[in-house]
PDB file of all heavy atoms in Angstrom:
ATOM      1  N   VAL A 299      23.630 -22.138  -1.245  1.00 97.00           N
ATOM      2  CA  VAL A 299      22.251 -21.747  -0.950  1.00 97.00           C
ATOM      3  C   VAL A 299      21.842 -20.646  -1.922  1.00 97.00           C
ATOM      4  O   VAL A 299      22.515 -19.611  -2.011  1.00 97.00           O
ATOM      5  CB  VAL A 299      22.112 -21.266   0.504  1.00 97.00           C
ATOM      6  CG1 VAL A 299      20.650 -20.955   0.820  1.00 97.00           C
ATOM      7  CG2 VAL A 299      22.654 -22.320   1.474  1.00 97.00           C
ATOM      8  N   THR A 300      20.738 -20.877  -2.625  1.00 97.00           N
ATOM      9  CA  THR A 300      20.318 -19.966  -3.689  1.00 97.00           C
ATOM     10  C   THR A 300      18.852 -19.588  -3.545  1.00 97.00           C
ATOM     11  O   THR A 300      18.016 -20.444  -3.245  1.00 97.00           O
ATOM     12  CB  THR A 300      20.531 -20.621  -5.071  1.00 97.00           C
ATOM     13  OG1 THR A 300      21.902 -21.012  -5.209  1.00 97.00           O
ATOM     14  CG2 THR A 300      20.156 -19.669  -6.189  1.00 97.00           C
ATOM     15  N   ASN A 301      18.564 -18.308  -3.761  1.00 97.00           N
ATOM     16  CA  ASN A 301      17.177 -17.840  -3.857  1.00 97.00           C
ATOM     17  C   ASN A 301      17.149 -16.599  -4.746  1.00 97.00           C
ATOM     18  O   ASN A 301      18.137 -16.289  -5.429  1.00 97.00           O
ATOM     19  CB  ASN A 301      16.570 -17.595  -2.476  1.00 97.00           C
ATOM     20  CG  ASN A 301      17.230 -16.447  -1.734  1.00 97.00           C
ATOM     21  OD1 ASN A 301      18.128 -15.775  -2.252  1.00 97.00           O
ATOM     22  ND2 ASN A 301      16.801 -16.222  -0.506  1.00 97.00           N
ATOM     23  N   ALA A 302      16.024 -15.867  -4.737  1.00 97.00           N
ATOM     24  CA  ALA A 302      15.905 -14.701  -5.597  1.00 97.00           C
ATOM     25  C   ALA A 302      16.889 -13.593  -5.224  1.00 97.00           C
ATOM     26  O   ALA A 302      17.207 -12.729  -6.045  1.00 97.00           O
ATOM     27  CB  ALA A 302      14.470 -14.159  -5.544  1.00 97.00           C
ATOM     28  N   GLY A 303      17.392 -13.624  -3.999  1.00 96.00           N
ATOM     29  CA  GLY A 303      18.344 -12.613  -3.556  1.00 96.00           C
ATOM     30  C   GLY A 303      19.767 -12.870  -3.995  1.00 96.00           C
ATOM     31  O   GLY A 303      20.619 -11.980  -3.937  1.00 96.00           O
ATOM     32  N   GLY A 304      20.059 -14.082  -4.430  1.00 97.00           N
ATOM     33  CA  GLY A 304      21.403 -14.428  -4.874  1.00 97.00           C
ATOM     34  C   GLY A 304      21.828 -15.803  -4.393  1.00 97.00           C
ATOM     35  O   GLY A 304      21.003 -16.600  -3.927  1.00 97.00           O
ATOM     36  N   SER A 305      23.114 -16.072  -4.485  1.00 97.00           N
ATOM     37  CA  SER A 305      23.653 -17.385  -4.124  1.00 97.00           C
ATOM     38  C   SER A 305      24.900 -17.218  -3.272  1.00 97.00           C
ATOM     39  O   SER A 305      25.741 -16.347  -3.547  1.00 97.00           O
ATOM     40  CB  SER A 305      23.984 -18.174  -5.391  1.00 97.00           C
ATOM     41  OG  SER A 305      24.493 -19.450  -5.074  1.00 97.00           O
ATOM     42  N   GLN A 306      25.019 -18.055  -2.233  1.00 97.00           N
ATOM     43  CA  GLN A 306      26.178 -18.012  -1.352  1.00 97.00           C
ATOM     44  C   GLN A 306      26.611 -19.437  -1.036  1.00 97.00           C
ATOM     45  O   GLN A 306      25.773 -20.345  -0.908  1.00 97.00           O
ATOM     46  CB  GLN A 306      25.860 -17.289  -0.026  1.00 97.00           C
ATOM     47  CG  GLN A 306      25.529 -15.811  -0.181  1.00 97.00           C
ATOM     48  CD  GLN A 306      26.766 -14.945  -0.288  1.00 97.00           C
ATOM     49  OE1 GLN A 306      27.845 -15.427  -0.608  1.00 97.00           O
ATOM     50  NE2 GLN A 306      26.622 -13.658  -0.026  1.00 97.00           N
ATOM     51  N   THR A 307      27.922 -19.629  -0.908  1.00 96.00           N
ATOM     52  CA  THR A 307      28.476 -20.934  -0.549  1.00 96.00           C
ATOM     53  C   THR A 307      28.968 -20.892   0.892  1.00 96.00           C
ATOM     54  O   THR A 307      29.625 -19.934   1.305  1.00 96.00           O
ATOM     55  CB  THR A 307      29.628 -21.316  -1.492  1.00 96.00           C
ATOM     56  OG1 THR A 307      29.124 -21.409  -2.823  1.00 96.00           O
ATOM     57  CG2 THR A 307      30.237 -22.653  -1.091  1.00 96.00           C
ATOM     58  N   PHE A 308      28.645 -21.959   1.632  1.00 97.00           N
ATOM     59  CA  PHE A 308      29.051 -22.064   3.037  1.00 97.00           C
ATOM     60  C   PHE A 308      29.792 -23.385   3.220  1.00 97.00           C
ATOM     61  O   PHE A 308      29.418 -24.405   2.638  1.00 97.00           O
ATOM     62  CB  PHE A 308      27.835 -21.989   3.949  1.00 97.00           C
ATOM     63  CG  PHE A 308      27.007 -20.744   3.730  1.00 97.00           C
ATOM     64  CD1 PHE A 308      25.885 -20.781   2.896  1.00 97.00           C
ATOM     65  CD2 PHE A 308      27.363 -19.545   4.312  1.00 97.00           C
ATOM     66  CE1 PHE A 308      25.129 -19.645   2.672  1.00 97.00           C
ATOM     67  CE2 PHE A 308      26.612 -18.394   4.097  1.00 97.00           C
ATOM     68  CZ  PHE A 308      25.492 -18.445   3.273  1.00 97.00           C
ATOM     69  N   THR A 309      30.835 -23.351   4.032  1.00 96.00           N
ATOM     70  CA  THR A 309      31.709 -24.518   4.197  1.00 96.00           C
ATOM     71  C   THR A 309      31.665 -25.060   5.620  1.00 96.00           C
ATOM     72  O   THR A 309      30.997 -24.499   6.497  1.00 96.00           O
ATOM     73  CB  THR A 309      33.146 -24.155   3.802  1.00 96.00           C
ATOM     74  OG1 THR A 309      33.599 -23.063   4.620  1.00 96.00           O
ATOM     75  CG2 THR A 309      33.234 -23.739   2.346  1.00 96.00           C
ATOM     76  N   ALA A 310      32.399 -26.154   5.836  1.00 96.00           N
ATOM     77  CA  ALA A 310      32.379 -26.876   7.116  1.00 96.00           C
ATOM     78  C   ALA A 310      32.608 -25.946   8.297  1.00 96.00           C
ATOM     79  O   ALA A 310      33.520 -25.112   8.290  1.00 96.00           O
ATOM     80  CB  ALA A 310      33.422 -27.981   7.094  1.00 96.00           C
ATOM     81  N   GLY A 311      31.752 -26.104   9.311  1.00 96.00           N
ATOM     82  CA  GLY A 311      31.858 -25.316  10.523  1.00 96.00           C
ATOM     83  C   GLY A 311      31.097 -24.004  10.488  1.00 96.00           C
ATOM     84  O   GLY A 311      31.030 -23.299  11.501  1.00 96.00           O
ATOM     85  N   GLN A 312      30.497 -23.665   9.348  1.00 97.00           N
ATOM     86  CA  GLN A 312      29.796 -22.396   9.233  1.00 97.00           C
ATOM     87  C   GLN A 312      28.283 -22.554   9.422  1.00 97.00           C
ATOM     88  O   GLN A 312      27.708 -23.597   9.127  1.00 97.00           O
ATOM     89  CB  GLN A 312      30.076 -21.749   7.865  1.00 97.00           C
ATOM     90  CG  GLN A 312      31.522 -21.318   7.699  1.00 97.00           C
ATOM     91  CD  GLN A 312      31.762 -20.586   6.390  1.00 97.00           C
ATOM     92  OE1 GLN A 312      31.114 -20.840   5.380  1.00 97.00           O
ATOM     93  NE2 GLN A 312      32.712 -19.654   6.410  1.00 97.00           N
ATOM     94  N   TYR A 313      27.677 -21.467   9.908  1.00 98.00           N
ATOM     95  CA  TYR A 313      26.233 -21.391  10.093  1.00 98.00           C
ATOM     96  C   TYR A 313      25.689 -20.318   9.152  1.00 98.00           C
ATOM     97  O   TYR A 313      26.328 -19.277   8.954  1.00 98.00           O
ATOM     98  CB  TYR A 313      25.881 -21.034  11.534  1.00 98.00           C
ATOM     99  CG  TYR A 313      26.359 -22.036  12.558  1.00 98.00           C
ATOM    100  CD1 TYR A 313      27.658 -21.967  13.066  1.00 98.00           C
ATOM    101  CD2 TYR A 313      25.521 -23.044  13.019  1.00 98.00           C
ATOM    102  CE1 TYR A 313      28.111 -22.883  14.004  1.00 98.00           C
ATOM    103  CE2 TYR A 313      25.963 -23.968  13.968  1.00 98.00           C
ATOM    104  CZ  TYR A 313      27.258 -23.880  14.446  1.00 98.00           C
ATOM    105  OH  TYR A 313      27.706 -24.794  15.369  1.00 98.00           O
ATOM    106  N   ALA A 314      24.520 -20.555   8.589  1.00 98.00           N
ATOM    107  CA  ALA A 314      23.940 -19.613   7.636  1.00 98.00           C
ATOM    108  C   ALA A 314      22.467 -19.402   7.944  1.00 98.00           C
ATOM    109  O   ALA A 314      21.830 -20.212   8.627  1.00 98.00           O
ATOM    110  CB  ALA A 314      24.113 -20.129   6.213  1.00 98.00           C
ATOM    111  N   TYR A 315      21.953 -18.307   7.407  1.00 98.00           N
ATOM    112  CA  TYR A 315      20.555 -17.939   7.674  1.00 98.00           C
ATOM    113  C   TYR A 315      19.947 -17.303   6.441  1.00 98.00           C
ATOM    114  O   TYR A 315      20.580 -16.497   5.756  1.00 98.00           O
ATOM    115  CB  TYR A 315      20.497 -16.950   8.847  1.00 98.00           C
ATOM    116  CG  TYR A 315      19.143 -16.317   9.075  1.00 98.00           C
ATOM    117  CD1 TYR A 315      18.054 -17.082   9.466  1.00 98.00           C
ATOM    118  CD2 TYR A 315      18.971 -14.940   8.906  1.00 98.00           C
ATOM    119  CE1 TYR A 315      16.811 -16.502   9.693  1.00 98.00           C
ATOM    120  CE2 TYR A 315      17.733 -14.343   9.133  1.00 98.00           C
ATOM    121  CZ  TYR A 315      16.665 -15.128   9.522  1.00 98.00           C
ATOM    122  OH  TYR A 315      15.435 -14.552   9.744  1.00 98.00           O
ATOM    123  N   VAL A 316      18.699 -17.691   6.134  1.00 98.00           N
ATOM    124  CA  VAL A 316      17.940 -17.077   5.046  1.00 98.00           C
ATOM    125  C   VAL A 316      16.631 -16.566   5.638  1.00 98.00           C
ATOM    126  O   VAL A 316      15.819 -17.354   6.125  1.00 98.00           O
ATOM    127  CB  VAL A 316      17.654 -18.073   3.911  1.00 98.00           C
ATOM    128  CG1 VAL A 316      16.907 -17.371   2.780  1.00 98.00           C
ATOM    129  CG2 VAL A 316      18.939 -18.688   3.381  1.00 98.00           C
ATOM    130  N   GLN A 317      16.447 -15.262   5.565  1.00 97.00           N
ATOM    131  CA  GLN A 317      15.263 -14.653   6.173  1.00 97.00           C
ATOM    132  C   GLN A 317      13.997 -14.935   5.378  1.00 97.00           C
ATOM    133  O   GLN A 317      12.957 -15.303   5.927  1.00 97.00           O
ATOM    134  CB  GLN A 317      15.457 -13.144   6.306  1.00 97.00           C
ATOM    135  CG  GLN A 317      14.272 -12.413   6.925  1.00 97.00           C
ATOM    136  CD  GLN A 317      14.526 -10.930   7.070  1.00 97.00           C
ATOM    137  OE1 GLN A 317      15.670 -10.479   7.043  1.00 97.00           O
ATOM    138  NE2 GLN A 317      13.463 -10.160   7.226  1.00 97.00           N
ATOM    139  N   ASP A 318      14.080 -14.750   4.046  1.00 97.00           N
ATOM    140  CA  ASP A 318      12.920 -14.990   3.182  1.00 97.00           C
ATOM    141  C   ASP A 318      13.411 -15.260   1.764  1.00 97.00           C
ATOM    142  O   ASP A 318      14.622 -15.250   1.499  1.00 97.00           O
ATOM    143  CB  ASP A 318      11.948 -13.810   3.217  1.00 97.00           C
ATOM    144  CG  ASP A 318      12.617 -12.472   2.905  1.00 97.00           C
ATOM    145  OD1 ASP A 318      13.342 -12.394   1.891  1.00 97.00           O
ATOM    146  OD2 ASP A 318      12.438 -11.521   3.679  1.00 97.00           O
ATOM    147  N   ALA A 319      12.468 -15.467   0.859  1.00 97.00           N
ATOM    148  CA  ALA A 319      12.820 -15.905  -0.491  1.00 97.00           C
ATOM    149  C   ALA A 319      13.544 -14.841  -1.307  1.00 97.00           C
ATOM    150  O   ALA A 319      14.174 -15.162  -2.314  1.00 97.00           O
ATOM    151  CB  ALA A 319      11.554 -16.344  -1.231  1.00 97.00           C
ATOM    152  N   SER A 320      13.496 -13.572  -0.902  1.00 97.00           N
ATOM    153  CA  SER A 320      14.125 -12.502  -1.682  1.00 97.00           C
ATOM    154  C   SER A 320      15.360 -11.905  -1.002  1.00 97.00           C
ATOM    155  O   SER A 320      15.974 -10.995  -1.548  1.00 97.00           O
ATOM    156  CB  SER A 320      13.107 -11.391  -1.954  1.00 97.00           C
ATOM    157  OG  SER A 320      12.601 -10.849  -0.748  1.00 97.00           O
ATOM    158  N   THR A 321      15.711 -12.419   0.165  1.00 96.00           N
ATOM    159  CA  THR A 321      16.862 -11.896   0.907  1.00 96.00           C
ATOM    160  C   THR A 321      18.071 -12.801   0.716  1.00 96.00           C
ATOM    161  O   THR A 321      17.969 -14.019   0.850  1.00 96.00           O
ATOM    162  CB  THR A 321      16.545 -11.786   2.410  1.00 96.00           C
ATOM    163  OG1 THR A 321      15.405 -10.942   2.595  1.00 96.00           O
ATOM    164  CG2 THR A 321      17.721 -11.200   3.174  1.00 96.00           C
ATOM    165  N   LEU A 322      19.220 -12.205   0.410  1.00 97.00           N
ATOM    166  CA  LEU A 322      20.445 -12.966   0.172  1.00 97.00           C
ATOM    167  C   LEU A 322      20.806 -13.821   1.390  1.00 97.00           C
ATOM    168  O   LEU A 322      20.815 -13.329   2.519  1.00 97.00           O
ATOM    169  CB  LEU A 322      21.603 -12.004  -0.121  1.00 97.00           C
ATOM    170  CG  LEU A 322      22.967 -12.639  -0.425  1.00 97.00           C
ATOM    171  CD1 LEU A 322      22.933 -13.359  -1.763  1.00 97.00           C
ATOM    172  CD2 LEU A 322      24.057 -11.573  -0.409  1.00 97.00           C
ATOM    173  N   PRO A 323      21.092 -15.111   1.190  1.00 97.00           N
ATOM    174  CA  PRO A 323      21.562 -15.951   2.300  1.00 97.00           C
ATOM    175  C   PRO A 323      22.819 -15.335   2.912  1.00 97.00           C
ATOM    176  O   PRO A 323      23.678 -14.821   2.194  1.00 97.00           O
ATOM    177  CB  PRO A 323      21.872 -17.294   1.617  1.00 97.00           C
ATOM    178  CG  PRO A 323      21.029 -17.292   0.378  1.00 97.00           C
ATOM    179  CD  PRO A 323      20.979 -15.862  -0.076  1.00 97.00           C
ATOM    180  N   ARG A 324      22.934 -15.393   4.246  1.00 97.00           N
ATOM    181  CA  ARG A 324      24.091 -14.748   4.871  1.00 97.00           C
ATOM    182  C   ARG A 324      24.746 -15.640   5.913  1.00 97.00           C
ATOM    183  O   ARG A 324      24.100 -16.500   6.533  1.00 97.00           O
ATOM    184  CB  ARG A 324      23.691 -13.415   5.495  1.00 97.00           C
ATOM    185  CG  ARG A 324      22.712 -13.487   6.662  1.00 97.00           C
ATOM    186  CD  ARG A 324      22.345 -12.086   7.120  1.00 97.00           C
ATOM    187  NE  ARG A 324      21.362 -12.070   8.186  1.00 97.00           N
ATOM    188  CZ  ARG A 324      21.667 -12.109   9.488  1.00 97.00           C
ATOM    189  NH1 ARG A 324      22.942 -12.182   9.857  1.00 97.00           N
ATOM    190  NH2 ARG A 324      20.708 -12.077  10.395  1.00 97.00           N
ATOM    191  N   LEU A 325      26.024 -15.405   6.081  1.00 98.00           N
ATOM    192  CA  LEU A 325      26.824 -16.135   7.060  1.00 98.00           C
ATOM    193  C   LEU A 325      26.564 -15.581   8.445  1.00 98.00           C
ATOM    194  O   LEU A 325      26.543 -14.355   8.651  1.00 98.00           O
ATOM    195  CB  LEU A 325      28.307 -15.996   6.707  1.00 98.00           C
ATOM    196  CG  LEU A 325      29.313 -16.637   7.666  1.00 98.00           C
ATOM    197  CD1 LEU A 325      29.193 -18.161   7.617  1.00 98.00           C
ATOM    198  CD2 LEU A 325      30.738 -16.196   7.300  1.00 98.00           C
ATOM    199  N   LEU A 326      26.376 -16.473   9.424  1.00 98.00           N
ATOM    200  CA  LEU A 326      26.214 -16.064  10.814  1.00 98.00           C
ATOM    201  C   LEU A 326      27.573 -16.115  11.519  1.00 98.00           C
ATOM    202  O   LEU A 326      28.430 -16.931  11.162  1.00 98.00           O
ATOM    203  CB  LEU A 326      25.217 -16.977  11.523  1.00 98.00           C
ATOM    204  CG  LEU A 326      23.775 -16.941  10.993  1.00 98.00           C
ATOM    205  CD1 LEU A 326      22.920 -17.969  11.734  1.00 98.00           C
ATOM    206  CD2 LEU A 326      23.173 -15.549  11.122  1.00 98.00           C
ATOM    207  N   PRO A 327      27.781 -15.286  12.520  1.00 97.00           N
ATOM    208  CA  PRO A 327      29.074 -15.281  13.206  1.00 97.00           C
ATOM    209  C   PRO A 327      29.346 -16.535  14.032  1.00 97.00           C
ATOM    210  O   PRO A 327      30.490 -16.808  14.406  1.00 97.00           O
ATOM    211  CB  PRO A 327      28.989 -14.040  14.096  1.00 97.00           C
ATOM    212  CG  PRO A 327      27.517 -13.811  14.296  1.00 97.00           C
ATOM    213  CD  PRO A 327      26.884 -14.239  13.018  1.00 97.00           C
ATOM    214  N   GLY A 328      28.309 -17.307  14.324  1.00 96.00           N
ATOM    215  CA  GLY A 328      28.473 -18.522  15.119  1.00 96.00           C
ATOM    216  C   GLY A 328      27.154 -19.246  15.255  1.00 96.00           C
ATOM    217  O   GLY A 328      26.178 -18.940  14.560  1.00 96.00           O
ATOM    218  N   ASP A 329      27.118 -20.205  16.151  1.00 96.00           N
ATOM    219  CA  ASP A 329      25.912 -20.985  16.400  1.00 96.00           C
ATOM    220  C   ASP A 329      24.775 -20.047  16.806  1.00 96.00           C
ATOM    221  O   ASP A 329      24.894 -19.303  17.774  1.00 96.00           O
ATOM    222  CB  ASP A 329      26.197 -21.999  17.518  1.00 96.00           C
ATOM    223  CG  ASP A 329      25.051 -22.971  17.723  1.00 96.00           C
ATOM    224  OD1 ASP A 329      23.921 -22.690  17.279  1.00 96.00           O
ATOM    225  OD2 ASP A 329      25.287 -24.024  18.346  1.00 96.00           O
ATOM    226  N   PRO A 330      23.655 -20.066  16.103  1.00 96.00           N
ATOM    227  CA  PRO A 330      22.553 -19.158  16.441  1.00 96.00           C
ATOM    228  C   PRO A 330      21.829 -19.528  17.728  1.00 96.00           C
ATOM    229  O   PRO A 330      20.999 -18.761  18.224  1.00 96.00           O
ATOM    230  CB  PRO A 330      21.617 -19.285  15.236  1.00 96.00           C
ATOM    231  CG  PRO A 330      21.887 -20.656  14.704  1.00 96.00           C
ATOM    232  CD  PRO A 330      23.363 -20.884  14.914  1.00 96.00           C
ATOM    233  N   GLY A 331      22.131 -20.712  18.262  1.00 94.00           N
ATOM    234  CA  GLY A 331      21.486 -21.131  19.500  1.00 94.00           C
ATOM    235  C   GLY A 331      20.534 -22.293  19.327  1.00 94.00           C
ATOM    236  O   GLY A 331      19.821 -22.669  20.262  1.00 94.00           O
ATOM    237  N   LEU A 332      20.536 -22.907  18.147  1.00 95.00           N
ATOM    238  CA  LEU A 332      19.731 -24.099  17.911  1.00 95.00           C
ATOM    239  C   LEU A 332      20.498 -25.330  18.374  1.00 95.00           C
ATOM    240  O   LEU A 332      21.727 -25.370  18.305  1.00 95.00           O
ATOM    241  CB  LEU A 332      19.396 -24.233  16.428  1.00 95.00           C
ATOM    242  CG  LEU A 332      18.443 -23.194  15.852  1.00 95.00           C
ATOM    243  CD1 LEU A 332      18.420 -23.280  14.338  1.00 95.00           C
ATOM    244  CD2 LEU A 332      17.037 -23.394  16.408  1.00 95.00           C
TER     245      LEU A 332
END
């Protein structure tokens, strides 16, 4: 996942979140509830 904030790789079983176009994508500790 890439945007102006940087790039991060996420693998099987992981959840990730991107707040906006300038914030670095980040790993979530678990299912966010979706």
Side-chain angles (χ1 to χ4, degrees):
V299 184
T300 304
N301 66 2
S305 181
Q306 295 278 20
T307 298
F308 304 96
T309 58
Q312 293 184 329
Y313 299 85
Y315 170 65
V316 182
Q317 180 178 341
D318 53 49
S320 59
T321 302
L322 181 69
R324 65 183 177 89
L325 177 68
L326 296 176
D329 187 342
L332 291 169

